[in-house]
Amino acid sequence: LALGGYRLWPAVLLASFLANYWAPTDAAVALAIAAGNTLEALGGAWIIRFVRARERVLGTQKETLAFAAGSMGPAAASASVGVGSLLLAGTLDAVSAPAVWLTWWVGNSLGTLVIAPVIFAIADRDESTRTADGNAIERLLIAAACLVAFAFI
């Protein structure tokens, strides 16, 4: 959404729904979790676009800290919707809910903090200064990072 625009939100909703439905989860719970994930993606995309509107992306410590702090809100929304959905469905007990919420929030927050700078780097690169070897290495590293990330999903 940060690069392709807000119009891609249905793809996030569908992908999240399918991932959660195959978990296996009840369709209503999967849809609620997908809605929370989509809300997080929209909020995160807005924050990324706000930060990228500046001349230097994450060029100062203040901008970096503002981005880090701002990225935690959408992650909290997603965690809250997800845990709330699981509680309402009876899939999660109230005693476990705080730990599950914290794990969900930390995972989503760290995911944003790791992935967003990669998005910034890809979107802001100057092709005129890149070499063919540099582009090939960059693509290989990005593919490797994606494979590692998907291995843990």
PDB file of all heavy atoms in Angstrom, residues 11-27:
ATOM      1  N   ALA A  11      -6.700  -6.345  -1.702  1.00  0.00           N
ATOM      2  CA  ALA A  11      -5.751  -7.460  -1.805  1.00  0.00           C
ATOM      3  C   ALA A  11      -5.223  -7.837  -0.425  1.00  0.00           C
ATOM      4  O   ALA A  11      -5.059  -9.026  -0.120  1.00  0.00           O
ATOM      5  CB  ALA A  11      -4.598  -7.080  -2.733  1.00  0.00           C
ATOM      6  N   VAL A  12      -4.975  -6.838   0.412  1.00  0.00           N
ATOM      7  CA  VAL A  12      -4.522  -7.106   1.785  1.00  0.00           C
ATOM      8  C   VAL A  12      -5.620  -7.837   2.550  1.00  0.00           C
ATOM      9  O   VAL A  12      -5.361  -8.831   3.241  1.00  0.00           O
ATOM     10  CB  VAL A  12      -4.133  -5.797   2.505  1.00  0.00           C
ATOM     11  CG1 VAL A  12      -3.813  -6.045   3.966  1.00  0.00           C
ATOM     12  CG2 VAL A  12      -2.970  -5.117   1.800  1.00  0.00           C
ATOM     13  N   LEU A  13      -6.848  -7.376   2.408  1.00  0.00           N
ATOM     14  CA  LEU A  13      -7.983  -8.003   3.090  1.00  0.00           C
ATOM     15  C   LEU A  13      -8.141  -9.458   2.652  1.00  0.00           C
ATOM     16  O   LEU A  13      -8.275 -10.356   3.489  1.00  0.00           O
ATOM     17  CB  LEU A  13      -9.268  -7.214   2.814  1.00  0.00           C
ATOM     18  CG  LEU A  13     -10.525  -7.718   3.511  1.00  0.00           C
ATOM     19  CD1 LEU A  13     -10.445  -7.457   5.014  1.00  0.00           C
ATOM     20  CD2 LEU A  13     -11.754  -7.053   2.926  1.00  0.00           C
ATOM     21  N   LEU A  14      -8.101  -9.697   1.349  1.00  0.00           N
ATOM     22  CA  LEU A  14      -8.274 -11.056   0.832  1.00  0.00           C
ATOM     23  C   LEU A  14      -7.129 -11.973   1.261  1.00  0.00           C
ATOM     24  O   LEU A  14      -7.364 -13.089   1.735  1.00  0.00           O
ATOM     25  CB  LEU A  14      -8.376 -11.037  -0.701  1.00  0.00           C
ATOM     26  CG  LEU A  14      -8.522 -12.400  -1.367  1.00  0.00           C
ATOM     27  CD1 LEU A  14      -9.808 -13.103  -0.918  1.00  0.00           C
ATOM     28  CD2 LEU A  14      -8.478 -12.261  -2.883  1.00  0.00           C
ATOM     29  N   ALA A  15      -5.897 -11.505   1.126  1.00  0.00           N
ATOM     30  CA  ALA A  15      -4.750 -12.336   1.503  1.00  0.00           C
ATOM     31  C   ALA A  15      -4.766 -12.655   2.993  1.00  0.00           C
ATOM     32  O   ALA A  15      -4.520 -13.799   3.400  1.00  0.00           O
ATOM     33  CB  ALA A  15      -3.455 -11.626   1.130  1.00  0.00           C
ATOM     34  N   SER A  16      -5.090 -11.666   3.802  1.00  0.00           N
ATOM     35  CA  SER A  16      -5.145 -11.894   5.245  1.00  0.00           C
ATOM     36  C   SER A  16      -6.285 -12.839   5.602  1.00  0.00           C
ATOM     37  O   SER A  16      -6.126 -13.718   6.450  1.00  0.00           O
ATOM     38  CB  SER A  16      -5.306 -10.561   5.977  1.00  0.00           C
ATOM     39  OG  SER A  16      -5.347 -10.773   7.358  1.00  0.00           O
ATOM     40  N   PHE A  17      -7.426 -12.668   4.954  1.00  0.00           N
ATOM     41  CA  PHE A  17      -8.555 -13.565   5.207  1.00  0.00           C
ATOM     42  C   PHE A  17      -8.179 -15.004   4.878  1.00  0.00           C
ATOM     43  O   PHE A  17      -8.407 -15.916   5.681  1.00  0.00           O
ATOM     44  CB  PHE A  17      -9.786 -13.149   4.397  1.00  0.00           C
ATOM     45  CG  PHE A  17     -10.889 -14.160   4.464  1.00  0.00           C
ATOM     46  CD1 PHE A  17     -11.693 -14.251   5.589  1.00  0.00           C
ATOM     47  CD2 PHE A  17     -11.099 -15.042   3.416  1.00  0.00           C
ATOM     48  CE1 PHE A  17     -12.707 -15.213   5.662  1.00  0.00           C
ATOM     49  CE2 PHE A  17     -12.104 -15.992   3.479  1.00  0.00           C
ATOM     50  CZ  PHE A  17     -12.911 -16.079   4.605  1.00  0.00           C
ATOM     51  N   LEU A  18      -7.587 -15.213   3.708  1.00  0.00           N
ATOM     52  CA  LEU A  18      -7.221 -16.569   3.301  1.00  0.00           C
ATOM     53  C   LEU A  18      -6.182 -17.174   4.240  1.00  0.00           C
ATOM     54  O   LEU A  18      -6.290 -18.343   4.617  1.00  0.00           O
ATOM     55  CB  LEU A  18      -6.711 -16.570   1.862  1.00  0.00           C
ATOM     56  CG  LEU A  18      -7.770 -16.259   0.796  1.00  0.00           C
ATOM     57  CD1 LEU A  18      -7.120 -16.152  -0.576  1.00  0.00           C
ATOM     58  CD2 LEU A  18      -8.889 -17.282   0.807  1.00  0.00           C
ATOM     59  N   ALA A  19      -5.196 -16.384   4.633  1.00  0.00           N
ATOM     60  CA  ALA A  19      -4.164 -16.892   5.549  1.00  0.00           C
ATOM     61  C   ALA A  19      -4.771 -17.296   6.883  1.00  0.00           C
ATOM     62  O   ALA A  19      -4.404 -18.336   7.452  1.00  0.00           O
ATOM     63  CB  ALA A  19      -3.091 -15.832   5.757  1.00  0.00           C
ATOM     64  N   ASN A  20      -5.699 -16.509   7.387  1.00  0.00           N
ATOM     65  CA  ASN A  20      -6.315 -16.817   8.675  1.00  0.00           C
ATOM     66  C   ASN A  20      -7.360 -17.915   8.568  1.00  0.00           C
ATOM     67  O   ASN A  20      -7.535 -18.702   9.499  1.00  0.00           O
ATOM     68  CB  ASN A  20      -6.921 -15.550   9.293  1.00  0.00           C
ATOM     69  CG  ASN A  20      -5.861 -14.645   9.842  1.00  0.00           C
ATOM     70  OD1 ASN A  20      -5.216 -14.950  10.824  1.00  0.00           O
ATOM     71  ND2 ASN A  20      -5.645 -13.528   9.170  1.00  0.00           N
ATOM     72  N   TYR A  21      -8.050 -17.985   7.448  1.00  0.00           N
ATOM     73  CA  TYR A  21      -9.071 -19.011   7.265  1.00  0.00           C
ATOM     74  C   TYR A  21      -8.429 -20.386   7.150  1.00  0.00           C
ATOM     75  O   TYR A  21      -8.977 -21.381   7.628  1.00  0.00           O
ATOM     76  CB  TYR A  21      -9.921 -18.698   6.033  1.00  0.00           C
ATOM     77  CG  TYR A  21     -11.092 -19.626   5.869  1.00  0.00           C
ATOM     78  CD1 TYR A  21     -12.147 -19.603   6.783  1.00  0.00           C
ATOM     79  CD2 TYR A  21     -11.145 -20.524   4.826  1.00  0.00           C
ATOM     80  CE1 TYR A  21     -13.230 -20.456   6.640  1.00  0.00           C
ATOM     81  CE2 TYR A  21     -12.227 -21.383   4.670  1.00  0.00           C
ATOM     82  CZ  TYR A  21     -13.263 -21.340   5.582  1.00  0.00           C
ATOM     83  OH  TYR A  21     -14.334 -22.181   5.448  1.00  0.00           O
ATOM     84  N   TRP A  22      -7.254 -20.438   6.539  1.00  0.00           N
ATOM     85  CA  TRP A  22      -6.545 -21.705   6.412  1.00  0.00           C
ATOM     86  C   TRP A  22      -5.850 -22.095   7.708  1.00  0.00           C
ATOM     87  O   TRP A  22      -5.240 -23.160   7.784  1.00  0.00           O
ATOM     88  CB  TRP A  22      -5.517 -21.642   5.283  1.00  0.00           C
ATOM     89  CG  TRP A  22      -6.131 -21.710   3.916  1.00  0.00           C
ATOM     90  CD1 TRP A  22      -7.288 -22.327   3.575  1.00  0.00           C
ATOM     91  CD2 TRP A  22      -5.612 -21.147   2.718  1.00  0.00           C
ATOM     92  NE1 TRP A  22      -7.537 -22.183   2.242  1.00  0.00           N
ATOM     93  CE2 TRP A  22      -6.519 -21.446   1.686  1.00  0.00           C
ATOM     94  CE3 TRP A  22      -4.491 -20.408   2.405  1.00  0.00           C
ATOM     95  CZ2 TRP A  22      -6.319 -21.054   0.373  1.00  0.00           C
ATOM     96  CZ3 TRP A  22      -4.302 -20.013   1.101  1.00  0.00           C
ATOM     97  CH2 TRP A  22      -5.201 -20.339   0.100  1.00  0.00           C
ATOM     98  N   ALA A  23      -5.941 -21.288   8.739  1.00  0.00           N
ATOM     99  CA  ALA A  23      -5.188 -21.482   9.992  1.00  0.00           C
ATOM    100  C   ALA A  23      -5.508 -22.754  10.766  1.00  0.00           C
ATOM    101  O   ALA A  23      -4.585 -23.256  11.390  1.00  0.00           O
ATOM    102  CB  ALA A  23      -5.325 -20.255  10.884  1.00  0.00           C
ATOM    103  N   PRO A  24      -6.608 -23.353  10.890  1.00  0.00           N
ATOM    104  CA  PRO A  24      -7.970 -23.031  10.481  1.00  0.00           C
ATOM    105  C   PRO A  24      -8.697 -22.173  11.527  1.00  0.00           C
ATOM    106  O   PRO A  24      -8.506 -22.348  12.720  1.00  0.00           O
ATOM    107  CB  PRO A  24      -8.637 -24.397  10.374  1.00  0.00           C
ATOM    108  CG  PRO A  24      -7.955 -25.211  11.416  1.00  0.00           C
ATOM    109  CD  PRO A  24      -6.542 -24.682  11.493  1.00  0.00           C
ATOM    110  N   THR A  25      -9.469 -21.265  11.035  1.00  0.00           N
ATOM    111  CA  THR A  25     -10.253 -20.369  11.875  1.00  0.00           C
ATOM    112  C   THR A  25     -11.631 -20.246  11.253  1.00  0.00           C
ATOM    113  O   THR A  25     -11.788 -20.365  10.046  1.00  0.00           O
ATOM    114  CB  THR A  25      -9.586 -18.977  11.935  1.00  0.00           C
ATOM    115  OG1 THR A  25      -8.243 -19.120  12.365  1.00  0.00           O
ATOM    116  CG2 THR A  25     -10.294 -18.045  12.867  1.00  0.00           C
ATOM    117  N   ASP A  26     -12.605 -19.993  12.090  1.00  0.00           N
ATOM    118  CA  ASP A  26     -13.958 -19.718  11.622  1.00  0.00           C
ATOM    119  C   ASP A  26     -13.914 -18.545  10.634  1.00  0.00           C
ATOM    120  O   ASP A  26     -13.130 -17.621  10.794  1.00  0.00           O
ATOM    121  CB  ASP A  26     -14.828 -19.384  12.845  1.00  0.00           C
ATOM    122  CG  ASP A  26     -16.253 -19.116  12.461  1.00  0.00           C
ATOM    123  OD1 ASP A  26     -17.037 -20.067  12.396  1.00  0.00           O
ATOM    124  OD2 ASP A  26     -16.571 -17.923  12.226  1.00  0.00           O
ATOM    125  N   ALA A  27     -14.772 -18.577   9.619  1.00  0.00           N
ATOM    126  CA  ALA A  27     -14.763 -17.535   8.587  1.00  0.00           C
ATOM    127  C   ALA A  27     -14.999 -16.145   9.164  1.00  0.00           C
ATOM    128  O   ALA A  27     -14.356 -15.178   8.744  1.00  0.00           O
ATOM    129  CB  ALA A  27     -15.813 -17.852   7.521  1.00  0.00           C
TER     130      ALA A  27
END
